[in-house]
Amino acid sequence: MTTETAAPAAKTGTDLETLQKLVTLPRRPQAVQWRSSARGIPGGLGPTDTQLLAVLEYPAADVQALLSTLKSTRLTVKVDDGGWLPEATREALKQATAYEATPFFKSPLNQGTVFHLPKSNTFVLVLFTT
């Protein structure tokens, strides 16, 4: 007999200080929204894995500087936002440019992709543990 437990509730925030404890920010965003949630299934594979999803809004002057440090990639991760992202952001992600998220890594969040939303100062960061 197996017992299934509910996944821990996702944690969300808009404070830069907490986000900086979780990820490396190569440039300081002017606004952030983030969500940390369980990736695995309790009692199954990967029950302790987590995913961090962050929407980063940068000053216009910093966007090109940040983009110049990122390497584009065709390898992207599925953005599983649990309905958290606004519909407009989800739609913009379909046309977003994907980049390796290596500059944002901070152990244990060492996998993922960062997306630059078209014609905006907004990036969507998706990091996860393995």
Side-chain angles (χ1 to χ4, degrees):
M1 180 175 179
T2 61
T3 58
E4 218 173 286
T5 57
K11 296 178 185 173
T12 61
T14 57
D15 60 308
L16 184 60
E17 294 75 27
T18 300
L19 183 61
Q20 286 178 308
K21 291 177 184 175
L22 302 171
V23 302
T24 301
L25 294 171
R27 296 242 168 215
R28 184 178 176 88
Q30 62 187 15
V32 299
Q33 293 180 333
W34 55 266
R35 178 180 193 261
S36 179
S37 59
R39 263 187 106 214
I41 301 166
L45 291 174
T48 60
D49 287 334
T50 58
Q51 172 181 284
L52 177 90
L53 179 61
V55 179
L56 310 170
E57 185 75 28
Y58 284 92
D62 286 350
V63 172
Q64 285 306 315
L66 179 58
L67 286 171
S68 71
T69 67
L70 299 176
K71 183 178 176 185
S72 64
T73 182
R74 291 180 179 258
L75 300 174
T76 61
V77 295
K78 181 178 182 246
V79 179
D80 180 11
D81 70 332
W84 178 72
L85 288 172
E87 184 60 33
T89 303
R90 268 191 240 120
E91 284 300 312
L93 274 168
K94 293 176 184 176
Q95 303 300 319
T97 304
Y99 297 91
E100 293 178 5
T102 309
F104 294 90
F105 290 173
K106 184 180 277 188
S107 187
L109 295 167
N110 292 325
Q111 301 278 335
T113 305
V114 62
F115 300 90
H116 178 228
L117 302 186
K119 300 177 184 169
S120 77
N121 298 337
T122 305
F123 291 79
V124 175
L125 177 64
V126 183
L127 296 180
F128 53 91
T129 61
T130 54

PDB file of all heavy atoms in Angstrom, residues 22-59:
ATOM      1  N   LEU A  22      18.502  32.627  -3.860  1.00  0.00           N
ATOM      2  CA  LEU A  22      18.215  31.424  -4.634  1.00  0.00           C
ATOM      3  C   LEU A  22      18.978  31.356  -5.947  1.00  0.00           C
ATOM      4  O   LEU A  22      19.301  30.259  -6.419  1.00  0.00           O
ATOM      5  CB  LEU A  22      16.709  31.336  -4.918  1.00  0.00           C
ATOM      6  CG  LEU A  22      15.797  31.319  -3.692  1.00  0.00           C
ATOM      7  CD1 LEU A  22      14.339  31.444  -4.114  1.00  0.00           C
ATOM      8  CD2 LEU A  22      16.031  30.070  -2.877  1.00  0.00           C
ATOM      9  N   VAL A  23      19.222  32.512  -6.565  1.00  0.00           N
ATOM     10  CA  VAL A  23      19.865  32.552  -7.883  1.00  0.00           C
ATOM     11  C   VAL A  23      20.917  33.653  -7.920  1.00  0.00           C
ATOM     12  O   VAL A  23      20.907  34.569  -7.100  1.00  0.00           O
ATOM     13  CB  VAL A  23      18.848  32.791  -9.025  1.00  0.00           C
ATOM     14  CG1 VAL A  23      17.768  31.736  -9.045  1.00  0.00           C
ATOM     15  CG2 VAL A  23      18.232  34.171  -8.958  1.00  0.00           C
ATOM     16  N   THR A  24      21.791  33.563  -8.903  1.00  0.00           N
ATOM     17  CA  THR A  24      22.747  34.628  -9.171  1.00  0.00           C
ATOM     18  C   THR A  24      22.089  35.595 -10.150  1.00  0.00           C
ATOM     19  O   THR A  24      21.521  35.166 -11.156  1.00  0.00           O
ATOM     20  CB  THR A  24      24.031  34.046  -9.798  1.00  0.00           C
ATOM     21  OG1 THR A  24      24.589  33.102  -8.882  1.00  0.00           O
ATOM     22  CG2 THR A  24      25.035  35.124 -10.122  1.00  0.00           C
ATOM     23  N   LEU A  25      22.156  36.862  -9.860  1.00  0.00           N
ATOM     24  CA  LEU A  25      21.600  37.870 -10.768  1.00  0.00           C
ATOM     25  C   LEU A  25      22.757  38.660 -11.362  1.00  0.00           C
ATOM     26  O   LEU A  25      23.364  39.486 -10.679  1.00  0.00           O
ATOM     27  CB  LEU A  25      20.624  38.785 -10.028  1.00  0.00           C
ATOM     28  CG  LEU A  25      19.354  38.098  -9.528  1.00  0.00           C
ATOM     29  CD1 LEU A  25      18.558  39.017  -8.614  1.00  0.00           C
ATOM     30  CD2 LEU A  25      18.499  37.636 -10.705  1.00  0.00           C
ATOM     31  N   PRO A  26      23.095  38.396 -12.648  1.00  0.00           N
ATOM     32  CA  PRO A  26      24.231  39.093 -13.255  1.00  0.00           C
ATOM     33  C   PRO A  26      24.024  40.602 -13.369  1.00  0.00           C
ATOM     34  O   PRO A  26      24.982  41.355 -13.440  1.00  0.00           O
ATOM     35  CB  PRO A  26      24.361  38.442 -14.631  1.00  0.00           C
ATOM     36  CG  PRO A  26      23.136  37.652 -14.860  1.00  0.00           C
ATOM     37  CD  PRO A  26      22.475  37.438 -13.548  1.00  0.00           C
ATOM     38  N   ARG A  27      22.797  41.022 -13.397  1.00  0.00           N
ATOM     39  CA  ARG A  27      22.428  42.447 -13.383  1.00  0.00           C
ATOM     40  C   ARG A  27      21.257  42.590 -12.423  1.00  0.00           C
ATOM     41  O   ARG A  27      20.444  41.684 -12.285  1.00  0.00           O
ATOM     42  CB  ARG A  27      21.986  42.913 -14.775  1.00  0.00           C
ATOM     43  CG  ARG A  27      23.077  42.836 -15.801  1.00  0.00           C
ATOM     44  CD  ARG A  27      23.362  44.212 -16.324  1.00  0.00           C
ATOM     45  NE  ARG A  27      24.580  44.213 -17.087  1.00  0.00           N
ATOM     46  CZ  ARG A  27      25.404  45.223 -17.106  1.00  0.00           C
ATOM     47  NH1 ARG A  27      25.147  46.307 -16.424  1.00  0.00           N
ATOM     48  NH2 ARG A  27      26.496  45.184 -17.822  1.00  0.00           N
ATOM     49  N   ARG A  28      21.153  43.733 -11.808  1.00  0.00           N
ATOM     50  CA  ARG A  28      20.081  43.953 -10.827  1.00  0.00           C
ATOM     51  C   ARG A  28      18.784  44.356 -11.542  1.00  0.00           C
ATOM     52  O   ARG A  28      18.723  45.418 -12.164  1.00  0.00           O
ATOM     53  CB  ARG A  28      20.509  45.036  -9.840  1.00  0.00           C
ATOM     54  CG  ARG A  28      19.514  45.264  -8.731  1.00  0.00           C
ATOM     55  CD  ARG A  28      20.033  46.326  -7.771  1.00  0.00           C
ATOM     56  NE  ARG A  28      19.047  46.634  -6.756  1.00  0.00           N
ATOM     57  CZ  ARG A  28      18.934  45.992  -5.605  1.00  0.00           C
ATOM     58  NH1 ARG A  28      19.756  45.007  -5.335  1.00  0.00           N
ATOM     59  NH2 ARG A  28      18.016  46.331  -4.733  1.00  0.00           N
ATOM     60  N   PRO A  29      17.755  43.535 -11.429  1.00  0.00           N
ATOM     61  CA  PRO A  29      16.467  43.904 -12.042  1.00  0.00           C
ATOM     62  C   PRO A  29      15.784  45.007 -11.225  1.00  0.00           C
ATOM     63  O   PRO A  29      16.057  45.165 -10.033  1.00  0.00           O
ATOM     64  CB  PRO A  29      15.659  42.606 -12.000  1.00  0.00           C
ATOM     65  CG  PRO A  29      16.347  41.714 -11.036  1.00  0.00           C
ATOM     66  CD  PRO A  29      17.731  42.220 -10.828  1.00  0.00           C
ATOM     67  N   GLN A  30      14.893  45.739 -11.887  1.00  0.00           N
ATOM     68  CA  GLN A  30      14.161  46.787 -11.172  1.00  0.00           C
ATOM     69  C   GLN A  30      12.901  46.234 -10.524  1.00  0.00           C
ATOM     70  O   GLN A  30      12.372  46.833  -9.590  1.00  0.00           O
ATOM     71  CB  GLN A  30      13.826  47.959 -12.095  1.00  0.00           C
ATOM     72  CG  GLN A  30      12.928  47.621 -13.264  1.00  0.00           C
ATOM     73  CD  GLN A  30      12.784  48.779 -14.227  1.00  0.00           C
ATOM     74  OE1 GLN A  30      13.546  49.729 -14.196  1.00  0.00           O
ATOM     75  NE2 GLN A  30      11.803  48.685 -15.111  1.00  0.00           N
ATOM     76  N   ALA A  31      12.426  45.078 -11.006  1.00  0.00           N
ATOM     77  CA  ALA A  31      11.255  44.434 -10.410  1.00  0.00           C
ATOM     78  C   ALA A  31      11.356  42.930 -10.646  1.00  0.00           C
ATOM     79  O   ALA A  31      11.852  42.494 -11.693  1.00  0.00           O
ATOM     80  CB  ALA A  31       9.968  44.971 -11.029  1.00  0.00           C
ATOM     81  N   VAL A  32      10.900  42.159  -9.662  1.00  0.00           N
ATOM     82  CA  VAL A  32      10.906  40.695  -9.792  1.00  0.00           C
ATOM     83  C   VAL A  32       9.608  40.121  -9.257  1.00  0.00           C
ATOM     84  O   VAL A  32       8.978  40.692  -8.369  1.00  0.00           O
ATOM     85  CB  VAL A  32      12.090  40.041  -9.035  1.00  0.00           C
ATOM     86  CG1 VAL A  32      13.424  40.521  -9.565  1.00  0.00           C
ATOM     87  CG2 VAL A  32      12.004  40.265  -7.539  1.00  0.00           C
ATOM     88  N   GLN A  33       9.239  39.006  -9.825  1.00  0.00           N
ATOM     89  CA  GLN A  33       8.180  38.155  -9.300  1.00  0.00           C
ATOM     90  C   GLN A  33       8.726  36.748  -9.432  1.00  0.00           C
ATOM     91  O   GLN A  33       9.262  36.401 -10.487  1.00  0.00           O
ATOM     92  CB  GLN A  33       6.890  38.273 -10.106  1.00  0.00           C
ATOM     93  CG  GLN A  33       6.228  39.613 -10.013  1.00  0.00           C
ATOM     94  CD  GLN A  33       4.953  39.652 -10.846  1.00  0.00           C
ATOM     95  OE1 GLN A  33       4.812  38.938 -11.832  1.00  0.00           O
ATOM     96  NE2 GLN A  33       4.027  40.487 -10.453  1.00  0.00           N
ATOM     97  N   TRP A  34       8.610  35.945  -8.391  1.00  0.00           N
ATOM     98  CA  TRP A  34       9.172  34.613  -8.466  1.00  0.00           C
ATOM     99  C   TRP A  34       8.244  33.603  -7.791  1.00  0.00           C
ATOM    100  O   TRP A  34       7.404  33.948  -6.970  1.00  0.00           O
ATOM    101  CB  TRP A  34      10.574  34.566  -7.858  1.00  0.00           C
ATOM    102  CG  TRP A  34      10.660  35.064  -6.450  1.00  0.00           C
ATOM    103  CD1 TRP A  34      10.983  36.332  -6.055  1.00  0.00           C
ATOM    104  CD2 TRP A  34      10.397  34.326  -5.245  1.00  0.00           C
ATOM    105  NE1 TRP A  34      10.938  36.426  -4.686  1.00  0.00           N
ATOM    106  CE2 TRP A  34      10.589  35.205  -4.163  1.00  0.00           C
ATOM    107  CE3 TRP A  34      10.025  33.020  -4.977  1.00  0.00           C
ATOM    108  CZ2 TRP A  34      10.408  34.810  -2.837  1.00  0.00           C
ATOM    109  CZ3 TRP A  34       9.854  32.616  -3.663  1.00  0.00           C
ATOM    110  CH2 TRP A  34      10.053  33.513  -2.617  1.00  0.00           C
ATOM    111  N   ARG A  35       8.458  32.352  -8.215  1.00  0.00           N
ATOM    112  CA  ARG A  35       7.667  31.238  -7.683  1.00  0.00           C
ATOM    113  C   ARG A  35       8.573  30.026  -7.583  1.00  0.00           C
ATOM    114  O   ARG A  35       9.198  29.624  -8.574  1.00  0.00           O
ATOM    115  CB  ARG A  35       6.501  30.931  -8.614  1.00  0.00           C
ATOM    116  CG  ARG A  35       5.633  29.759  -8.182  1.00  0.00           C
ATOM    117  CD  ARG A  35       4.505  29.576  -9.206  1.00  0.00           C
ATOM    118  NE  ARG A  35       3.490  28.698  -8.736  1.00  0.00           N
ATOM    119  CZ  ARG A  35       3.406  27.400  -9.069  1.00  0.00           C
ATOM    120  NH1 ARG A  35       4.294  26.865  -9.872  1.00  0.00           N
ATOM    121  NH2 ARG A  35       2.425  26.653  -8.596  1.00  0.00           N
ATOM    122  N   SER A  36       8.670  29.450  -6.410  1.00  0.00           N
ATOM    123  CA  SER A  36       9.449  28.241  -6.184  1.00  0.00           C
ATOM    124  C   SER A  36       8.469  27.126  -5.859  1.00  0.00           C
ATOM    125  O   SER A  36       7.614  27.276  -4.981  1.00  0.00           O
ATOM    126  CB  SER A  36      10.420  28.451  -5.015  1.00  0.00           C
ATOM    127  OG  SER A  36      11.153  27.276  -4.783  1.00  0.00           O
ATOM    128  N   SER A  37       8.579  26.015  -6.580  1.00  0.00           N
ATOM    129  CA  SER A  37       7.625  24.921  -6.382  1.00  0.00           C
ATOM    130  C   SER A  37       8.315  23.575  -6.520  1.00  0.00           C
ATOM    131  O   SER A  37       9.393  23.460  -7.110  1.00  0.00           O
ATOM    132  CB  SER A  37       6.478  25.030  -7.390  1.00  0.00           C
ATOM    133  OG  SER A  37       6.984  24.981  -8.713  1.00  0.00           O
ATOM    134  N   ALA A  38       7.677  22.554  -5.979  1.00  0.00           N
ATOM    135  CA  ALA A  38       8.186  21.185  -6.089  1.00  0.00           C
ATOM    136  C   ALA A  38       8.017  20.709  -7.518  1.00  0.00           C
ATOM    137  O   ALA A  38       7.021  21.009  -8.173  1.00  0.00           O
ATOM    138  CB  ALA A  38       7.434  20.278  -5.135  1.00  0.00           C
ATOM    139  N   ARG A  39       9.006  19.984  -8.014  1.00  0.00           N
ATOM    140  CA  ARG A  39       8.957  19.403  -9.359  1.00  0.00           C
ATOM    141  C   ARG A  39       8.574  17.947  -9.326  1.00  0.00           C
ATOM    142  O   ARG A  39       7.992  17.433 -10.247  1.00  0.00           O
ATOM    143  CB  ARG A  39      10.341  19.487 -10.011  1.00  0.00           C
ATOM    144  CG  ARG A  39      10.518  20.628 -10.902  1.00  0.00           C
ATOM    145  CD  ARG A  39      11.848  20.524 -11.612  1.00  0.00           C
ATOM    146  NE  ARG A  39      11.629  20.155 -12.985  1.00  0.00           N
ATOM    147  CZ  ARG A  39      12.415  19.400 -13.706  1.00  0.00           C
ATOM    148  NH1 ARG A  39      13.488  18.880 -13.198  1.00  0.00           N
ATOM    149  NH2 ARG A  39      12.144  19.140 -14.949  1.00  0.00           N
ATOM    150  N   GLY A  40       8.988  17.262  -8.300  1.00  0.00           N
ATOM    151  CA  GLY A  40       8.776  15.825  -8.224  1.00  0.00           C
ATOM    152  C   GLY A  40       7.421  15.479  -7.650  1.00  0.00           C
ATOM    153  O   GLY A  40       6.629  16.335  -7.280  1.00  0.00           O
ATOM    154  N   ILE A  41       7.189  14.195  -7.571  1.00  0.00           N
ATOM    155  CA  ILE A  41       5.953  13.680  -7.005  1.00  0.00           C
ATOM    156  C   ILE A  41       6.309  13.026  -5.675  1.00  0.00           C
ATOM    157  O   ILE A  41       7.105  12.090  -5.648  1.00  0.00           O
ATOM    158  CB  ILE A  41       5.305  12.643  -7.946  1.00  0.00           C
ATOM    159  CG1 ILE A  41       5.008  13.288  -9.289  1.00  0.00           C
ATOM    160  CG2 ILE A  41       4.046  12.059  -7.320  1.00  0.00           C
ATOM    161  CD1 ILE A  41       4.683  12.281 -10.377  1.00  0.00           C
ATOM    162  N   PRO A  42       5.774  13.530  -4.572  1.00  0.00           N
ATOM    163  CA  PRO A  42       6.090  12.912  -3.291  1.00  0.00           C
ATOM    164  C   PRO A  42       5.821  11.403  -3.336  1.00  0.00           C
ATOM    165  O   PRO A  42       4.785  10.975  -3.819  1.00  0.00           O
ATOM    166  CB  PRO A  42       5.161  13.626  -2.313  1.00  0.00           C
ATOM    167  CG  PRO A  42       4.917  14.956  -2.950  1.00  0.00           C
ATOM    168  CD  PRO A  42       4.873  14.669  -4.439  1.00  0.00           C
ATOM    169  N   GLY A  43       6.791  10.648  -2.874  1.00  0.00           N
ATOM    170  CA  GLY A  43       6.661   9.201  -2.899  1.00  0.00           C
ATOM    171  C   GLY A  43       7.107   8.589  -4.208  1.00  0.00           C
ATOM    172  O   GLY A  43       7.125   7.383  -4.377  1.00  0.00           O
ATOM    173  N   GLY A  44       7.481   9.429  -5.180  1.00  0.00           N
ATOM    174  CA  GLY A  44       7.901   8.944  -6.495  1.00  0.00           C
ATOM    175  C   GLY A  44       9.265   9.492  -6.839  1.00  0.00           C
ATOM    176  O   GLY A  44      10.041   9.890  -5.977  1.00  0.00           O
ATOM    177  N   LEU A  45       9.568   9.532  -8.125  1.00  0.00           N
ATOM    178  CA  LEU A  45      10.859  10.037  -8.578  1.00  0.00           C
ATOM    179  C   LEU A  45      10.968  11.533  -8.310  1.00  0.00           C
ATOM    180  O   LEU A  45      10.047  12.291  -8.582  1.00  0.00           O
ATOM    181  CB  LEU A  45      11.031   9.777 -10.073  1.00  0.00           C
ATOM    182  CG  LEU A  45      11.190   8.321 -10.470  1.00  0.00           C
ATOM    183  CD1 LEU A  45      11.209   8.184 -11.980  1.00  0.00           C
ATOM    184  CD2 LEU A  45      12.464   7.740  -9.883  1.00  0.00           C
ATOM    185  N   GLY A  46      12.114  11.902  -7.818  1.00  0.00           N
ATOM    186  CA  GLY A  46      12.429  13.314  -7.655  1.00  0.00           C
ATOM    187  C   GLY A  46      11.567  14.106  -6.712  1.00  0.00           C
ATOM    188  O   GLY A  46      11.257  15.255  -6.995  1.00  0.00           O
ATOM    189  N   PRO A  47      11.142  13.547  -5.576  1.00  0.00           N
ATOM    190  CA  PRO A  47      10.240  14.317  -4.720  1.00  0.00           C
ATOM    191  C   PRO A  47      10.869  15.554  -4.096  1.00  0.00           C
ATOM    192  O   PRO A  47      10.161  16.418  -3.622  1.00  0.00           O
ATOM    193  CB  PRO A  47       9.833  13.310  -3.643  1.00  0.00           C
ATOM    194  CG  PRO A  47      10.969  12.352  -3.598  1.00  0.00           C
ATOM    195  CD  PRO A  47      11.488  12.263  -5.018  1.00  0.00           C
ATOM    196  N   THR A  48      12.189  15.637  -4.109  1.00  0.00           N
ATOM    197  CA  THR A  48      12.828  16.805  -3.498  1.00  0.00           C
ATOM    198  C   THR A  48      13.292  17.822  -4.536  1.00  0.00           C
ATOM    199  O   THR A  48      13.873  18.838  -4.175  1.00  0.00           O
ATOM    200  CB  THR A  48      14.034  16.380  -2.643  1.00  0.00           C
ATOM    201  OG1 THR A  48      14.978  15.713  -3.478  1.00  0.00           O
ATOM    202  CG2 THR A  48      13.609  15.476  -1.498  1.00  0.00           C
ATOM    203  N   ASP A  49      13.064  17.559  -5.804  1.00  0.00           N
ATOM    204  CA  ASP A  49      13.475  18.508  -6.831  1.00  0.00           C
ATOM    205  C   ASP A  49      12.557  19.725  -6.821  1.00  0.00           C
ATOM    206  O   ASP A  49      11.358  19.627  -6.562  1.00  0.00           O
ATOM    207  CB  ASP A  49      13.454  17.855  -8.217  1.00  0.00           C
ATOM    208  CG  ASP A  49      14.602  16.870  -8.397  1.00  0.00           C
ATOM    209  OD1 ASP A  49      15.623  17.038  -7.718  1.00  0.00           O
ATOM    210  OD2 ASP A  49      14.457  15.947  -9.208  1.00  0.00           O
ATOM    211  N   THR A  50      13.156  20.872  -7.123  1.00  0.00           N
ATOM    212  CA  THR A  50      12.384  22.107  -7.137  1.00  0.00           C
ATOM    213  C   THR A  50      12.598  22.863  -8.437  1.00  0.00           C
ATOM    214  O   THR A  50      13.578  22.650  -9.150  1.00  0.00           O
ATOM    215  CB  THR A  50      12.777  23.041  -5.968  1.00  0.00           C
ATOM    216  OG1 THR A  50      14.168  23.332  -6.059  1.00  0.00           O
ATOM    217  CG2 THR A  50      12.472  22.422  -4.626  1.00  0.00           C
ATOM    218  N   GLN A  51      11.657  23.734  -8.717  1.00  0.00           N
ATOM    219  CA  GLN A  51      11.734  24.609  -9.886  1.00  0.00           C
ATOM    220  C   GLN A  51      11.536  26.035  -9.406  1.00  0.00           C
ATOM    221  O   GLN A  51      10.701  26.298  -8.548  1.00  0.00           O
ATOM    222  CB  GLN A  51      10.644  24.270 -10.899  1.00  0.00           C
ATOM    223  CG  GLN A  51      10.571  25.289 -12.037  1.00  0.00           C
ATOM    224  CD  GLN A  51       9.471  24.971 -13.025  1.00  0.00           C
ATOM    225  OE1 GLN A  51       9.629  24.072 -13.828  1.00  0.00           O
ATOM    226  NE2 GLN A  51       8.368  25.692 -12.950  1.00  0.00           N
ATOM    227  N   LEU A  52      12.318  26.929  -9.968  1.00  0.00           N
ATOM    228  CA  LEU A  52      12.151  28.347  -9.697  1.00  0.00           C
ATOM    229  C   LEU A  52      11.773  29.022 -11.004  1.00  0.00           C
ATOM    230  O   LEU A  52      12.442  28.834 -12.025  1.00  0.00           O
ATOM    231  CB  LEU A  52      13.441  28.981  -9.161  1.00  0.00           C
ATOM    232  CG  LEU A  52      13.270  30.480  -8.951  1.00  0.00           C
ATOM    233  CD1 LEU A  52      12.768  30.750  -7.539  1.00  0.00           C
ATOM    234  CD2 LEU A  52      14.531  31.223  -9.228  1.00  0.00           C
ATOM    235  N   LEU A  53      10.721  29.768 -10.963  1.00  0.00           N
ATOM    236  CA  LEU A  53      10.260  30.535 -12.110  1.00  0.00           C
ATOM    237  C   LEU A  53      10.278  31.991 -11.680  1.00  0.00           C
ATOM    238  O   LEU A  53       9.719  32.336 -10.637  1.00  0.00           O
ATOM    239  CB  LEU A  53       8.842  30.091 -12.476  1.00  0.00           C
ATOM    240  CG  LEU A  53       8.147  30.759 -13.633  1.00  0.00           C
ATOM    241  CD1 LEU A  53       8.912  30.534 -14.934  1.00  0.00           C
ATOM    242  CD2 LEU A  53       6.739  30.205 -13.773  1.00  0.00           C
ATOM    243  N   ALA A  54      10.973  32.837 -12.443  1.00  0.00           N
ATOM    244  CA  ALA A  54      11.065  34.251 -12.074  1.00  0.00           C
ATOM    245  C   ALA A  54      10.844  35.126 -13.296  1.00  0.00           C
ATOM    246  O   ALA A  54      11.345  34.834 -14.380  1.00  0.00           O
ATOM    247  CB  ALA A  54      12.430  34.550 -11.464  1.00  0.00           C
ATOM    248  N   VAL A  55      10.093  36.177 -13.097  1.00  0.00           N
ATOM    249  CA  VAL A  55       9.905  37.203 -14.117  1.00  0.00           C
ATOM    250  C   VAL A  55      10.755  38.385 -13.671  1.00  0.00           C
ATOM    251  O   VAL A  55      10.568  38.913 -12.574  1.00  0.00           O
ATOM    252  CB  VAL A  55       8.425  37.601 -14.258  1.00  0.00           C
ATOM    253  CG1 VAL A  55       8.265  38.698 -15.302  1.00  0.00           C
ATOM    254  CG2 VAL A  55       7.569  36.381 -14.599  1.00  0.00           C
ATOM    255  N   LEU A  56      11.713  38.743 -14.521  1.00  0.00           N
ATOM    256  CA  LEU A  56      12.682  39.790 -14.192  1.00  0.00           C
ATOM    257  C   LEU A  56      12.490  40.965 -15.131  1.00  0.00           C
ATOM    258  O   LEU A  56      12.589  40.824 -16.350  1.00  0.00           O
ATOM    259  CB  LEU A  56      14.103  39.242 -14.338  1.00  0.00           C
ATOM    260  CG  LEU A  56      14.394  37.911 -13.641  1.00  0.00           C
ATOM    261  CD1 LEU A  56      15.749  37.374 -14.075  1.00  0.00           C
ATOM    262  CD2 LEU A  56      14.335  38.080 -12.140  1.00  0.00           C
ATOM    263  N   GLU A  57      12.246  42.117 -14.574  1.00  0.00           N
ATOM    264  CA  GLU A  57      12.069  43.351 -15.357  1.00  0.00           C
ATOM    265  C   GLU A  57      13.307  44.209 -15.136  1.00  0.00           C
ATOM    266  O   GLU A  57      13.642  44.552 -13.997  1.00  0.00           O
ATOM    267  CB  GLU A  57      10.820  44.091 -14.890  1.00  0.00           C
ATOM    268  CG  GLU A  57      10.479  45.300 -15.712  1.00  0.00           C
ATOM    269  CD  GLU A  57       9.874  44.951 -17.064  1.00  0.00           C
ATOM    270  OE1 GLU A  57       9.232  43.897 -17.201  1.00  0.00           O
ATOM    271  OE2 GLU A  57      10.069  45.751 -17.998  1.00  0.00           O
ATOM    272  N   TYR A  58      13.995  44.520 -16.247  1.00  0.00           N
ATOM    273  CA  TYR A  58      15.242  45.284 -16.156  1.00  0.00           C
ATOM    274  C   TYR A  58      15.061  46.696 -16.680  1.00  0.00           C
ATOM    275  O   TYR A  58      14.226  46.947 -17.563  1.00  0.00           O
ATOM    276  CB  TYR A  58      16.341  44.592 -16.973  1.00  0.00           C
ATOM    277  CG  TYR A  58      16.902  43.379 -16.282  1.00  0.00           C
ATOM    278  CD1 TYR A  58      16.377  42.119 -16.516  1.00  0.00           C
ATOM    279  CD2 TYR A  58      17.935  43.495 -15.370  1.00  0.00           C
ATOM    280  CE1 TYR A  58      16.874  41.003 -15.862  1.00  0.00           C
ATOM    281  CE2 TYR A  58      18.449  42.393 -14.709  1.00  0.00           C
ATOM    282  CZ  TYR A  58      17.915  41.154 -14.965  1.00  0.00           C
ATOM    283  OH  TYR A  58      18.412  40.051 -14.307  1.00  0.00           O
ATOM    284  N   PRO A  59      15.866  47.631 -16.200  1.00  0.00           N
ATOM    285  CA  PRO A  59      15.881  48.968 -16.801  1.00  0.00           C
ATOM    286  C   PRO A  59      16.303  48.828 -18.266  1.00  0.00           C
ATOM    287  O   PRO A  59      17.144  47.985 -18.599  1.00  0.00           O
ATOM    288  CB  PRO A  59      16.943  49.719 -15.987  1.00  0.00           C
ATOM    289  CG  PRO A  59      17.128  48.942 -14.732  1.00  0.00           C
ATOM    290  CD  PRO A  59      16.796  47.521 -15.074  1.00  0.00           C
TER     291      PRO A  59
END
